[in-house]
Amino acid sequence: RFGKFTKLLFDENEENGVHIVGSMIETFLLEKSRVNFQTIGERNYHIFYQLISGVDEKRKEKLGLEGGCRSFWYTSQSGCDTVEGIPDKDRFDEFMSSLTLAGFSDSDIDGILNITAAILHMSNVKFTLDNKEICHIDESTKAS
């Protein structure tokens, strides 16, 4: 129910290379409901917008993100896909640099991006109940 965010501060110099110079730990509430519902004017998790804004065109096409934020229920329902003062592309570049600096392999990074994109695509799946209260994928669900 609660998460921990650890921010690592790095320094780099020719003599010692890259090394940790500090850290901060912050406890926060994991809002699972935030993934599938936002009120008007509120954004979902920032990584969704950063991914859509930050990936290059080739990867965007591979991940099926070329339609942008408005193509996915999780990032379009509130009508707020940008926030003044939050540069999503720059934050995505920082995220990618952090993953590399932390030692994630290219394969691991691809997996993280694929899963994040898959969550966005799952937001477009609609379900209906039949008369026996069995859930089915709605016929109107568009394959993305």
Side-chain angles (χ1 to χ4, degrees):
R1 182 171 172 177
F2 289 92
K4 299 256 187 222
F5 173 74
T6 304
K7 182 175 186 174
L8 299 176
L9 306 171
F10 295 92
D11 187 32
E12 181 176 15
N13 61 48
E14 290 181 26
E15 185 178 320
N16 298 320
V18 176
H19 60 280
I20 296 173
V21 295
S23 67
M24 295 178 357
I25 298 176
E26 184 177 324
T27 301
F28 61 94
L29 175 64
L30 289 172
E31 298 177 83
K32 291 183 279 184
S33 65
R34 184 180 201 101
V35 173
N36 58 22
F37 178 77
Q38 293 79 52
T39 58
I40 299 299
E42 180 181 80
R43 292 204 323 171
N44 206 316
Y45 287 108
H46 295 297
I47 189 60
F48 295 141
Y49 305 94
Q50 293 167 3
L51 175 65
I52 291 168
S53 297
V55 294
D56 60 58
E57 292 303 315
K58 183 178 177 184
R59 185 174 268 173
K60 189 177 281 190
E61 185 176 338
K62 179 183 171 205
L63 295 172
L65 303 175
E66 41 304 3
C69 293
R70 298 297 170 130
S71 325
F72 303 101
W73 175 246
Y74 287 168
T75 53
S76 67
Q77 64 182 294
S78 73
C80 179
D81 51 358
T82 60
V83 173
E84 189 176 331
I86 298 180
D88 290 323
K89 184 186 179 337
D90 294 346
R91 296 280 170 86
F92 181 76
D93 293 343
E94 291 172 7
F95 171 71
M96 294 296 284
S97 294
S98 297
L99 291 176
T100 302
L101 189 59
F104 285 85
S105 69
D106 288 345
S107 176
D108 291 338
I109 293 170
D110 283 343
I112 291 166
L113 300 181
N114 288 341
I115 289 168
T116 306
I119 293 167
L120 287 170
H121 286 282
M122 287 180 359
S123 76
N124 291 340
V125 177
K126 296 181 179 101
F127 297 93
T128 57
L129 285 174
D130 65 17
N131 59 359
K132 296 179 183 175
E133 294 192 15
I134 297 173
C135 194
H136 300 277
I137 295 177
D138 191 293
E139 296 289 326
S140 69
T141 296
K142 179 182 126 190
S144 56

